[in-house]
Amino acid sequence: MSYGRPLSFNPDEALQAAMDVFWEKGYATTSLQDLLQAMGLSKSSFYQTFDSKQALFARCFNHYCHWRSGRMQTRLKQSSSGWEFIETVFHAVADGAESDRERRGCLLMNTASEFGQRDSFIAELVSSGIQCFAAVFCQAVQQAQSEGTIDPDRDPQALADFLVSSMSGLRTMVKAGLSHSQTHDIVKNILRSL
């Protein structure tokens, strides 16, 4: 029985390289040539491993969401309180105003802005990604409520959705070039509203 030729590249590294291209350029303006060059693949290796640009994007997008939400989950476990976690995450994004990588924005929200609801496949990916981030924030809010730093009568899911929305807006402002002091002022107001 033939299993085909073994892969002569690292699929995880290729996926990471493709994710960076999509994150930098967006889906529509990323060409197959851009992807092949970044991933170091031939067309045949690309199609054999990833099937299509859309299939590759879905894998990159899911990888991004699980990577980001996984980092958030780890940070929550390491935080001394739910409130500290929320505060630290938002200040870290505000600090990104100094970072070229953070000025790319968020792949999730960039994709939502690029597609809106025009493509049901992409809209489903975006919805799933938002739920990943909201789940971590909901856990942090519930923890903060049990610790007495957020009013226990407030709906934790509604606050989690508010935090995802606020994070999206903050990342967009960082991408737009707001200064470090402006982004930290925004964070102070977000935290006050909790």
Side-chain angles (χ1 to χ4, degrees):
M1 179 184 280
S2 170
Y3 292 97
R5 289 175 43 206
L7 295 176
S8 59
F9 65 94
N10 182 323
D12 292 335
E13 288 176 8
L15 190 70
Q16 182 69 41
M19 183 186 83
D20 283 336
V21 175
F22 284 128
W23 193 359
E24 180 74 34
K25 300 183 73 154
Y27 179 82
T29 56
T30 295
S31 68
L32 179 59
Q33 193 54 46
D34 293 330
L35 293 168
L36 297 179
Q37 186 175 348
M39 298 165 83
L41 298 182
S42 66
K43 269 190 188 180
S44 60
S45 292
F46 175 88
Y47 286 115
Q48 179 185 349
T49 309
F50 299 105
D51 296 326
S52 68
K53 177 182 167 183
Q54 186 186 59
L56 172 63
F57 180 75
R59 285 179 63 177
C60 289
F61 186 89
N62 287 328
H63 173 72
Y64 173 87
C65 291
H66 288 105
W67 164 64
R68 282 276 198 194
S69 63
R71 283 178 59 194
M72 288 173 67
Q73 192 69 254
T74 299
R75 186 176 276 177
L76 176 58
K77 285 177 188 163
Q78 294 169 345
S79 295
S80 61
S81 68
W83 180 265
E84 184 208 35
F85 164 78
I86 295 167
E87 190 174 34
T88 302
V89 165
F90 275 87
H91 280 296
V93 173
D95 285 337
E98 316 269 313
S99 156
D100 287 340
R101 185 175 176 89
E102 289 302 320
R103 285 188 184 273
R104 289 191 287 185
C106 165
L107 179 60
L108 169 63
M109 293 307 168
N110 291 353
T111 302
S113 296
E114 182 179 356
F115 284 93
Q117 294 292 306
R118 288 190 323 257
D119 183 311
S120 59
F121 175 75
I122 301 289
E124 196 172 311
L125 286 178
V126 168
S127 177
S128 173
I130 288 170
Q131 287 169 23
C132 271
F133 294 112
V136 181
F137 277 129
C138 191
Q139 195 178 336
V141 167
Q142 289 171 326
Q143 188 175 325
Q145 287 176 316
S146 70
E147 294 159 352
T149 48
I150 293 179
D151 182 347
D153 292 333
R154 298 188 69 186
D155 180 348
Q157 186 60 57
L159 287 179
D161 292 340
F162 166 73
L163 289 170
V164 171
S165 174
S166 299
M167 181 69 74
S168 165
L170 184 61
R171 285 194 185 280
T172 300
M173 298 307 264
V174 168
K175 187 178 177 181
L178 253 64
S179 71
H180 185 268
S181 64
Q182 288 173 301
T183 56
H184 279 281
D185 283 343
I186 291 170
V187 170
K188 285 177 199 168
N189 284 305
I190 291 167
L191 296 174
R192 276 192 203 112
S193 65
L194 295 176

